[in-house]
Amino acid sequence: MSDTVPPRHPARGYSVRSLPGFSIVALFTVATLYAPILILVAYSFNSGTSLAVWEGFSLRWYVQAAQNGEVIDAAIRSLYLALTAAGIATVAATMAALATTRTRRFPGKTMIYALINQPLMVPEIVTAVALLIVFAWIKVATGYTSMIYLIAAHTAFCIPFAYLPIRARLETMDNTLETAARDLYAPPMKVFLRVTLPQIWPGIIAGMMLAFVISMDDVVITEFVKSAGQDTIPTYMLGQLRRVVTPEVNAISTVILAAGAILVSLFFWISRERR
Amino acid sequence: MQHQSQPMPDPDSDDTNVAVRVDRISKIFQGNEDEVRALDEVSVSIRRNEFFTLLGPSGCGKTTLLRVIAGFEPPTMGALYLGGRDISRLPPNQRPVNTVFQNYALFPHMSVANNIAFGLEMLGKSKGEIQTTVYDMLKLVQMEHLKARRTSEISGGQQQRVALARALAPQPEVLLLDEPLSALDLKLRRDMQIELKRLQHETGITFIFVTHDQEEALTMSDRIAVMSAGKILQVGTPREIYERPAERFVANFIGESNFLDAALSGGAVRLKAGGPAFAATPPKGVADGEVSILVRPEHGRVRMGAATEGELPATISNVVYSGEATTVHLRLATGETFKAKMSNTPAEDGGSMVQGAEAALSIAPGAVTVLKD
Ligand SMILES: Nc1ncnc2c1ncn2[C@@H]1O[C@H](COP(=O)(O)OP(=O)(O)OP(=O)(O)O)[C@@H](O)[C@H]1O
Ligand SMILES: [Mg+2]
């Protein structure tokens, strides 16, 4: 007894903080993650046209971006695309999650998991080329060009991102609740609406937000699938980089960053309220 | 207990008395390579207003039988009748049968009152009717003061009451209870046992109750079905099950038992270990010859000293004192062992037995039960 040293964190027993170099690794990681973003945000307020030389504080690039018709146009298109794709993907993902967690074992269930998660496993560039070819055929055959192609493509790769949190939620939910609802005379649709849905909705919101962010962020597939004049914010910015680069790009990025931060905080706040 | 002596009309043949009739139901679960026969041609009739208990060891199929009656599991074979109507094909939401789940399964996003109202709402009852019924139910389980609480904000015993109220509110023909008391501590458990009996009495609903606690089964039930490995071995009142078990498994599962070798001839059994002949009624299908018999420990009387006429000679191999009673372990002339439970009253004076001493065992007349196997 006398020679045992009481651990520093008796409740946990073991803490990785005692590993050598822990603090340095942690600091380095945080710095690589956030320093570039901080610089980007800082230079969005630069009054000069350079991304490297600080000339003073100004909001001129925000004003310029807000008055740039192409930026507004791309922003609206991005939002429209992300909302539509995330919405459809979430509905599909919810149905897929129910079908894979609320059924008896059936042959091919593992295959279905793989199919749903296909966009996570196939390299994006491969999907992009494949879609380019298929959509080119359809466009030639029908002469029809619209947002439908982008919506279809985005919906497809959004599904696994919406699916995973919804499935996780369904798997942790006590499914005797649904059995109990059935027992208390609820027909299948009522069971879903009155019991399952209220239980899994934080998962659904999380899935939808993930899908939304993934769609907003996408470059590769969008670049291959879009028709002329269908730039989204990311493809517009990519196009800008090939020409003159001004802190306008920083300003747009900062706005996206802020919107993302608000969205995520909102989500945590909503799910905290309910727990 | 003059069973089988006079032919009585079988009350279960008349469907007006029967709430649930299980007719040769089998349930086979398909595993990866093997199959599990969870229910093996089970037939039983449960009478109206009866407190009926399914008793058996873990894995014997109690839950499966309840789930088949509730409609959560389709039977592989057989038919199920509710008040004479074949309900084998009805989905659970169309069966006038409600369940109290082992983990209660209360809806966490609803208040106590809304949980109780759920079944009534689904049945399309009017607002006013729902309100009065919910109020009555809250009163029945003494939970009026907590009606607005969330179900996560009440104690385990209170959740139990809400689960009962929720299942009783739609006035089902049959209430199924799957080990509803197993999560409660001993004192609460005793209270709820009394409470359940009161509820069953007041509502007049047929209760089918699952437990693997033999004492609970004996004290609460009108009738008990003892199950083992997917089969019902015996159905009877607590007295019949305890005093006249049909086979060794039932005797062993309920209470303490002494099994002895004996010879049966013409309605009398004679123990190999000596003693007098006992009158006994063998169960159907047991022919004269070698049989096993059961004697409960409390039916053996031990006296120190040499055996005389009508007694069995024995030696005392162990004496276990337990307050109100003393269990005396005996070795009989045949080498068989016998446990006798003597009360520590001045008349029996179980505490005075001495280990290693010569003793005489006498068995009460009528205490000998011939077993099927
Ligand atoms: N869904 C299922 N799939 C496969 N086998 C099952 C399934 N449900 C039950 N079984 C098997 O059927 C048998 C009976 O199970 P059941 O749950 O009815 O037992 P029980 O008497 O309720 O036991 P306990 O007292 O432990 O609750 C067991 O062998 C069990 O493993
Ligand atoms: Mg069980």
Side-chain angles (χ1 to χ4, degrees):
Chain A
M1 254 346 267
S2 56
D3 59 352
T4 52
V5 181
R8 269 208 289 173
H9 302 281
R12 298 215 190 109
Y14 170 75
S15 164
V16 287
R17 296 188 72 168
S18 59
L19 287 176
F22 176 82
S23 315
I24 294 163
V25 173
L27 275 177
F28 179 76
T29 310
V30 172
T32 19
L33 280 176
Y34 288 103
I37 294 175
L38 283 178
I39 295 167
L40 171 129
V41 172
Y43 275 90
S44 72
F45 297 108
N46 193 358
S47 59
T49 51
S50 167
L51 289 174
V53 186
W54 181 257
E55 287 176 34
F57 180 86
S58 117
L59 291 176
R60 70 178 271 208
W61 299 112
Y62 286 90
V63 175
Q64 180 166 327
Q67 286 169 350
N68 183 340
E70 282 181 52
V71 173
I72 307 287
D73 192 41
I76 290 172
R77 188 171 299 107
S78 268
L79 275 178
Y80 166 70
L81 178 58
L83 283 175
T84 317
I88 301 171
T90 306
V91 173
T94 306
M95 295 197 281
L98 284 170
T100 48
T101 59
R102 290 297 185 270
T103 45
R104 280 158 204 277
R105 272 189 310 164
F106 56 87
K109 198 159 176 174
T110 328
M111 239 254 299
I112 286 174
Y113 280 130
L115 280 179
I116 294 167
N117 291 322
Q118 172 270 335
L120 297 181
M121 288 176 261
V122 177
E124 209 184 340
I125 189 72
V126 175
T127 313
V129 173
L131 286 176
L132 174 77
I133 296 166
V134 172
F135 287 164
W137 282 350
I138 302 176
K139 283 178 195 170
V140 168
T142 61
Y144 185 64
T145 56
S146 78
M147 287 291 285
I148 191 88
Y149 302 102
L150 276 175
I151 291 172
H154 277 229
T155 301
F157 70 70
C158 280
I159 285 175
F161 292 95
Y163 170 77
L164 290 175
I166 299 171
R167 189 184 118 200
R169 189 81 193 179
L170 275 167
E171 274 174 349
T172 51
M173 176 187 162
D174 174 10
N175 66 7
T176 53
L177 294 182
E178 287 145 329
T179 312
R182 268 302 247 164
D183 189 57
L184 292 162
Y185 312 103
M189 201 59 202
K190 275 266 169 35
V191 174
F192 176 72
L193 292 175
R194 294 289 307 272
V195 176
T196 317
L197 197 58
Q199 287 296 307
I200 65 168
W201 82 264
I204 292 180
I205 302 281
M208 185 140 88
M209 282 175 154
L210 252 177
F212 179 82
V213 169
I214 294 292
S215 164
M216 279 299 272
D217 196 36
D218 183 72
V219 176
V220 179
I221 287 177
T222 313
E223 192 67 41
F224 277 72
V225 170
K226 75 179 166 80
S227 308
Q230 289 187 341
D231 265 320
T232 60
I233 283 283
T235 63
Y236 168 79
M237 287 167 75
L238 193 67
Q240 285 300 295
L241 291 182
R242 295 197 191 109
R243 292 183 253 155
V244 235
V245 187
T246 64
E248 189 184 350
V249 178
N250 296 33
I252 299 169
S253 305
T254 306
V255 170
I256 296 174
L257 186 68
I262 291 170
L263 207 66
V264 171
S265 320
L266 202 68
F267 167 66
F268 276 114
W269 182 70
I270 291 170
S271 51
R272 176 97 37 90
E273 285 290 279
R274 272 287 170 153
R275 284 279 79 199
Chain B
M1 282 296 111
Q2 289 292 315
H3 66 307
Q4 294 174 3
S5 52
Q6 66 213 60
M8 289 256 293
D10 180 4
D12 300 340
S13 63
D14 178 3
D15 264 352
T16 55
N17 279 327
V18 173
V20 177
R21 190 152 66 84
V22 176
D23 187 16
R24 276 166 301 161
I25 280 187
S26 292
K27 175 73 199 182
I28 298 167
F29 288 110
Q30 221 64 45
N32 281 331
E33 275 135 40
D34 55 338
E35 50 174 49
V36 181
R37 195 171 280 265
L39 294 176
D40 192 1
E41 299 222 349
V42 170
S43 292
V44 63
S45 290
I46 295 147
R47 299 175 195 149
R48 282 189 202 285
N49 304 345
E50 186 170 41
F51 197 113
F52 192 88
T53 298
L54 299 172
L55 176 66
S58 188
C60 70
K62 306 180 296 288
T63 297
T64 306
L65 183 53
L66 275 202
R67 289 176 61 82
V68 166
I69 296 172
F72 307 140
E73 297 285 357
T76 312
M77 273 171 291
L80 181 70
Y81 299 89
L82 189 79
R85 183 166 68 114
D86 186 345
I87 59 161
S88 313
R89 303 263 166 277
L90 278 189
N93 53 312
Q94 289 173 22
R95 297 187 184 193
V97 169
N98 288 144
T99 307
V100 176
F101 293 85
Q102 184 165 4
N103 66 352
Y104 314 142
L106 298 176
F107 305 126
H109 55 288
M110 296 180 197
S111 68
V112 165
N114 286 345
N115 262 279
I116 299 173
F118 188 88
L120 299 162
E121 268 178 59
M122 291 301 130
L123 286 174
K125 303 276 190 221
S126 74
K127 271 229 161 65
E129 195 182 342
I130 293 176
Q131 250 177 6
T132 28
T133 313
V134 169
Y135 177 75
D136 290 345
M137 286 300 136
L138 283 166
K139 217 163 77 175
L140 190 67
V141 297
Q142 295 147 13
M143 289 284 295
E144 299 111 303
H145 56 300
L146 296 174
K147 61 171 186 278
R149 285 274 187 93
R150 286 201 164 220
T151 55
S152 53
E153 293 162 352
I154 56 178
S155 74
Q158 290 165 340
Q159 289 180 12
Q160 168 74 81
R161 286 160 191 272
V162 177
L164 268 167
R166 184 179 72 173
L168 286 169
Q171 289 180 306
E173 285 175 37
V174 178
L175 188 73
L176 308 175
L177 305 102
D178 193 355
E179 307 204 30
L181 307 181
S182 62
L184 305 178
D185 65 45
L186 193 66
K187 173 158 185 334
L188 208 51
R189 206 180 160 115
R190 289 274 147 73
D191 293 346
M192 281 309 295
Q193 287 176 355
I194 296 165
E195 187 84 7
L196 272 181
K197 282 296 278 185
R198 177 181 71 85
L199 285 175
Q200 199 251 340
H201 191 75
E202 281 180 23
T203 57
I205 291 172
T206 307
F207 278 32
I208 305 179
F209 181 84
V210 163
T211 183
H212 55 235
D213 180 336
Q214 44 139 327
E215 196 188 317
E216 194 165 278
L218 290 174
T219 55
M220 295 180 73
S221 318
D222 293 322
R223 286 194 307 156
I224 300 171
V226 181
M227 292 184 70
S228 167
K231 286 189 191 320
I232 291 184
L233 301 182
Q234 189 176 2
V235 180
T237 63
R239 273 193 81 181
E240 282 163 0
I241 296 281
Y242 184 78
E243 293 176 13
R244 292 284 176 263
E247 39 194 297
R248 189 180 284 252
F249 180 91
V250 178
N252 237 339
F253 194 74
I254 297 169
E256 297 277 322
S257 313
N258 293 297
F259 299 110
L260 299 171
D261 290 335
L264 172 71
S265 90
V269 282
R270 203 169 261 287
L271 303 189
K272 284 234 177 82
F278 296 95
T281 325
K284 272 194 214 97
V286 176
D288 281 3
E290 303 239 313
V291 290
S292 271
I293 59 115
L294 160 80
V295 180
R296 296 290 187 189
E298 63 272 23
H299 291 140
R301 278 283 200 104
V302 187
R303 181 179 64 74
M304 304 262 275
T308 59
E309 179 71 34
E311 292 176 323
L312 286 76
T315 36
I316 300 177
S317 56
N318 204 357
V319 179
V320 180
Y321 178 81
S322 58
E324 51 164 13
T326 299
T327 305
V328 185
H329 295 242
L330 300 170
R331 182 162 297 278
L332 305 182
T334 48
E336 291 168 307
T337 57
F338 190 99
K339 276 179 288 182
K341 193 171 182 183
M342 313 266 291
S343 61
N344 289 333
T345 53
E348 290 195 11
D349 198 15
S352 69
M353 299 294 148
V354 179
Q355 189 175 340
E358 186 184 18
L361 168 68
S362 54
I363 292 169
V368 172
T369 305
V370 179
L371 298 172
K372 242 194 257 177
D373 53 355

